[in-house]
Amino acid sequence: MTLASDDITLLFDQQQQHLDELLLLLRQELAALASRDITTLEQLTVTKANVLEQLQLSDNALAKHPELNTVKQQEWFKQRVVALDEQLEQCKRHNDINQQTLEQSQLTIARLKTELLSSRGKSGLTYTSKGKPTVDSKGKGIKA
């Protein structure tokens, strides 16, 4: 391997490390979603953004490497790209799972809210102009 190959290998290793960290964060995010731990979710969101930024920086450095076109045709390069692509797809799948979990949680909360509102005031339950349930809290008032 040449010096250029070593530089590119180092950039690949950085990307591998960032993807490993991202996958770990996504797993932690799923656990935080399941336990409804808002503080942890906020921290994970900031950390994920930082890791994604670092991943983007290493990707940009790789794309700008002067010897990139030379090593692109070599077998070791192709294998590393395939391995990183597979890991990136795994991160995307896990992120999709987290998104579905979050959406289901939001639907459950909306149903719970509707149930609470309807049990609180069966006669006063109305709907907003957007179709959201609400309780009409206006009293009968006093007629003079």
Side-chain angles (χ1 to χ4, degrees):
M1 284 195 159
T2 65
L3 186 58
S5 301
D6 291 342
D7 289 345
I8 291 173
T9 301
L10 180 63
L11 289 169
F12 276 145
D13 290 344
Q14 287 175 353
Q15 287 184 330
Q16 179 78 44
Q17 180 183 358
H18 296 316
L19 288 172
D20 288 341
E21 189 175 351
L22 182 60
L23 191 56
L24 177 63
L25 290 170
L26 288 167
R27 289 179 180 147
Q28 291 172 348
E29 182 180 59
L30 183 60
L33 284 169
S35 64
R36 300 191 197 307
D37 187 350
I38 303 301
T39 305
T40 302
L41 280 171
E42 290 171 346
Q43 293 169 349
L44 289 170
T45 300
V46 170
T47 306
K48 273 187 354 181
N50 289 337
V51 170
L52 287 170
E53 184 178 329
Q54 292 171 353
L55 185 61
Q56 183 67 42
L57 290 173
S58 64
D59 194 49
N60 289 342
L62 182 62
K64 293 177 182 176
H65 196 281
E67 300 295 322
L68 182 64
N69 289 331
T70 312
V71 295
K72 267 187 176 180
Q73 302 306 318
Q74 296 179 12
E75 193 59 35
W76 68 267
F77 182 89
K78 293 176 184 179
Q79 290 172 354
R80 287 299 297 262
V81 169
V82 167
L84 289 172
D85 282 344
E86 287 173 359
Q87 191 169 10
L88 182 60
E89 283 302 314
Q90 188 178 3
C91 288
K92 287 178 181 179
R93 282 192 304 273
H94 211 85
N95 193 55
D96 289 343
I97 291 169
N98 291 359
Q99 179 183 353
Q100 290 173 351
T101 303
L102 180 60
E103 289 171 357
Q104 289 298 319
S105 294
Q106 289 173 335
L107 288 173
T108 302
I109 289 171
R111 274 187 258 142
L112 177 62
K113 178 184 173 187
T114 302
E115 282 298 315
L116 289 173
L117 288 174
S118 66
S119 69
R120 183 172 168 224
K122 289 251 185 219
S123 62
L125 183 64
T126 61
Y127 291 90
T128 65
S129 63
K130 297 190 183 219
K132 302 285 182 187
T134 185
V135 173
D136 184 11
S137 60
K138 296 177 186 172
K140 301 259 184 215
I142 300 175
K143 293 184 180 181

